[in-house]
Amino acid sequence: MAKPHHQALYSAHLKRLLPLLILILGSSPLAGCVNVRPWERAILADPCMAVVPDPEEAKLEQHLFAYREGSAGGYGDTGGGCGCN
Amino acid sequence: MAAAATRLAIIVAALTAPLAARADDVLNKHRDLRRRSGDAAESEVAAPFGTRVASKLAYYTDDDGLTVVTPIVSVEQKIFDTSSITLEYDADVLSAATVDVRTSATDKFNETRHGIALSGGHKLRSIETDLGGSVSYSRENDYQSVTVGGGFSTELLQKNVTVGAGYSYVYNSVGRSHTSLDAFEDHLDIHAVNASFTQLLSKRTYLQLSGSIIVARGYQASVYRYVPIFLEGTVDPAQLSEASLLSGAVRPLERLAERLPRDRLRGAAVARLNHAFDFGMTVAGDYRFYADDWAITSHTLSVNIYQKLPAGVQLRLRNRFYIQTEADFYQVAYTVPDAETRPTLFTMDRELSAFWYDMVGVKLSLELPVPSFLERVVLDLKGDLQYTKYKDFAYLLDRTAIIVGGGLTVEL
């Protein structure tokens, strides 16, 4: 027989996300601690420092991960958009 | 005051997200990091009508009988240095004789998916905010999908902090190949909200925290996946395998089309840290935690190391490790006490079982010498090796995949 399936919107597993969400929202105290001046940002402007250095490669890979993982989200993806399940 | 304003902006970004999603995708295409990086970077992208054309081709093959060729072509046109528009085409040319196909005793199948996407972005310089939006359409013989999305990112505190948020909606129409829509048609709606917070930590380091909430409602199973249902006492899960099923050594009571819950709430949070060393090396690492109300939790750890080499060559080495738990309704073998009883939910999807994989890869990018009318031409080649180990999926114990690809990016 199938194990009990609890489909409450805020299941215990989902609640595990809470600390990380609090971390995201609570990390704003970092803001203002550091001031990198415009003329000090040449290294940060290097393409390989970008969040997504190669958008086309990233799109292909998110597609691959979408049908090779039971997870979705976090990288701007939605976990849908094709019948590759 | 500034800190309070930032906190408020982040909370608003995370909770409201009235604009659309794929914000990272859209806004990254507009080189938000370069813009965020200040005046020096802005002068680097100051060409008012720049065009970027990128084409990639990836080839995936694994020892489970799946081969996928994926081309993608993208054309981005910048307009007045404040706006841009991108048109993109991609496809999957797929050939499958996977365990799903083999255990269903059906033939290998070939299928092609075509996708097209249009996205645009605009920078409001007066308030240091990027707006982005996109629409895409994807079609294959049994599945159609439309995605609309949009988002924003805004720079705060002398551009040391960037917050962004987005929303996207995906409408999926699910059919069955060679079957009229009257016989089978269903739908899947997906709503996704993303939010991100990026903080410069030094002139060489930044931290990004991001999160997503995804709500999916509708048909989420595979119409081609049939799950064997056994009478209690007639099967030992330890003896169950593809061979025992196909040979008739184990005999199911019947095989039923996979049935999954129609609702799914998914959440993910990512912490990313990028640091550039002074000897031409950049290390980009991220960790993702994921959980959903099907009881799947996962951890993903990814590290990319970039090293600049002489003659315009850049080397990337990377590793991605992923591990997940099983869905709460997943079972190795579904058994019933009598011939009339059926389980409520049942699946044979190995991606809903417990497993882990590790992927290692190498990529070489070469900046080619160009004539004066071209800004930049980059050729890249890559190869990845992925090994997956399933904990309790009886029909496939492990899988090894190879992904190779290459691409050419031209900026003019």
Side-chain angles (χ1 to χ4, degrees):
Chain A
M1 292 296 291
K3 287 171 274 184
H5 177 247
H6 309 288
Q7 212 175 344
L9 287 181
Y10 298 100
S11 69
H13 289 280
L14 203 57
K15 282 179 182 172
R16 293 182 194 173
L17 267 178
L18 202 57
L20 279 167
L21 291 174
I22 290 171
L23 177 66
I24 291 172
L25 298 177
S27 57
S28 56
L30 278 172
C33 294
V34 179
N35 185 17
V36 182
R37 301 187 184 283
W39 56 87
E40 297 176 320
R41 297 178 186 178
I43 294 170
L44 292 165
D46 191 286
C48 62
M49 280 291 277
V51 176
V52 182
D54 187 335
E56 289 76 26
E57 181 190 33
K59 180 171 180 175
L60 293 182
E61 293 197 334
Q62 285 307 322
H63 190 53
L64 167 71
F65 297 144
Y67 67 84
R68 283 291 177 250
E69 297 175 355
S71 311
Y75 302 111
D77 55 311
T78 58
C82 74
C84 43
N85 177 24
Chain B
M1 281 296 291
T6 306
R7 267 193 290 275
L8 182 61
I10 291 165
I11 291 168
V12 169
L15 297 182
T16 62
L19 292 168
R22 297 207 179 186
D24 283 349
D25 277 358
V26 174
L27 298 176
N28 277 319
K29 284 177 184 168
H30 303 289
R31 301 170 190 166
D32 62 324
L33 185 65
R34 289 189 183 191
R35 289 174 179 165
R36 183 173 61 241
S37 301
D39 301 343
E42 283 179 13
S43 64
E44 190 183 332
V45 294
F49 292 100
T51 303
R52 177 179 177 275
V53 180
S55 60
K56 307 268 179 194
L57 184 70
Y59 174 77
Y60 171 99
T61 185
D62 65 31
D63 60 2
D64 185 33
L66 178 65
T67 300
V68 187
V69 178
T70 310
I72 184 169
V73 179
S74 169
V75 180
E76 177 188 1
Q77 177 66 50
K78 241 186 328 177
I79 305 162
F80 297 123
D81 198 33
T82 55
S83 304
S84 70
I85 188 163
T86 303
L87 184 63
E88 195 170 81
Y89 165 80
D90 71 309
D92 295 323
V93 183
L94 180 149
S95 173
T98 62
V99 66
D100 290 341
V101 175
R102 297 191 302 268
T103 54
S104 300
T106 53
D107 294 331
K108 170 182 176 178
F109 70 89
N110 300 301
E111 189 174 272
T112 302
R113 181 190 67 84
H114 299 279
I116 189 161
L118 179 68
S119 60
H122 180 70
K123 186 173 185 70
L124 302 171
R125 286 197 181 280
S126 57
I127 53 172
E128 298 294 353
T129 297
D130 285 299
L131 302 177
S134 66
V135 57
S136 63
Y137 174 71
S138 169
R139 181 186 180 92
E140 51 207 288
N141 64 359
D142 54 0
Y143 208 97
Q144 292 184 61
S145 179
V146 176
T147 304
V148 292
F152 73 93
S153 72
T154 189
E155 296 166 325
L156 306 167
L157 301 174
Q158 292 83 48
K159 302 184 179 181
N160 284 276
V161 172
T162 303
V163 294
Y167 165 80
S168 66
Y169 168 69
V170 190
Y171 173 79
N172 301 278
S173 175
V174 189
R176 194 197 307 267
S177 183
H178 309 303
T179 303
S180 80
L181 292 177
D182 294 335
F184 179 85
E185 185 186 17
D186 213 324
H187 302 96
L188 171 63
D189 293 304
I190 299 173
H191 300 269
V193 176
N194 304 308
S196 67
F197 167 83
T198 309
Q199 165 77 56
L200 300 187
L201 297 179
S202 76
K203 58 186 181 182
R204 294 180 177 278
T205 312
Y206 72 87
L207 169 73
Q208 184 181 69
L209 303 169
S210 59
S212 302
I213 299 291
I214 300 170
V215 178
R217 287 190 173 144
Y219 188 82
Q220 302 183 56
S222 167
V223 294
Y224 307 110
R225 194 175 289 130
Y226 287 85
V227 184
I229 309 294
F230 298 94
L231 266 177
E232 282 177 9
T234 64
V235 64
D236 175 5
Q239 303 298 319
L240 195 57
S241 68
E242 179 186 348
S244 65
L245 191 64
L246 292 178
S247 68
V250 292
R251 293 185 181 278
L253 184 63
E254 68 174 325
R255 305 172 71 102
L256 295 176
E258 180 180 56
R259 189 183 300 158
L260 302 181
R262 290 185 68 84
D263 292 338
R264 191 174 190 181
L265 177 62
R266 323 174 82 175
V270 177
R272 177 195 309 272
L273 189 69
N274 280 25
H275 179 77
F277 293 92
D278 58 2
F279 44 92
M281 177 185 283
T282 298
V283 176
D286 64 70
Y287 165 75
R288 176 181 68 172
F289 176 76
Y290 166 90
D292 66 30
D293 63 353
W294 290 8
I296 290 177
T297 58
S298 76
H299 305 271
T300 310
L301 189 61
S302 179
V303 178
N304 291 269
I305 300 172
Y306 301 87
Q307 177 65 55
K308 285 184 168 47
L309 300 171
V313 177
Q314 180 177 271
L315 172 70
R316 183 191 72 186
L317 301 174
R318 69 159 171 191
N319 188 79
R320 178 185 174 95
F321 178 76
Y322 174 86
I323 187 166
Q324 75 167 52
T325 62
E326 64 188 18
D328 56 3
F329 53 84
Y330 177 82
Q331 292 185 34
V332 180
Y334 291 86
T335 57
V336 290
D338 55 64
E340 282 71 43
T341 306
R342 294 292 177 268
T344 310
L345 301 167
F346 39 90
T347 181
M348 223 175 91
D349 186 352
R350 53 205 174 281
E351 272 70 51
L352 296 180
S353 71
F355 67 92
W356 62 264
Y357 76 73
D358 194 64
M359 186 168 88
V360 294
V362 59
K363 179 180 175 183
L364 274 175
S365 300
L366 172 64
E367 192 160 338
L368 302 174
V370 293
S372 58
F373 64 92
L374 292 178
E375 191 77 23
R376 189 165 175 252
V377 176
V378 178
L379 173 71
D380 56 74
L381 297 167
K382 69 165 210 170
D384 293 306
L385 180 66
Q386 183 186 46
Y387 176 76
T388 306
K389 180 70 177 173
Y390 297 97
K391 184 183 167 199
D392 55 4
F393 184 68
Y395 309 100
L396 190 67
L397 301 178
D398 58 11
R399 177 179 57 211
T400 302
I402 295 172
I403 307 123
V404 293
L408 192 67
T409 303
V410 178
E411 293 176 15
L412 57 149

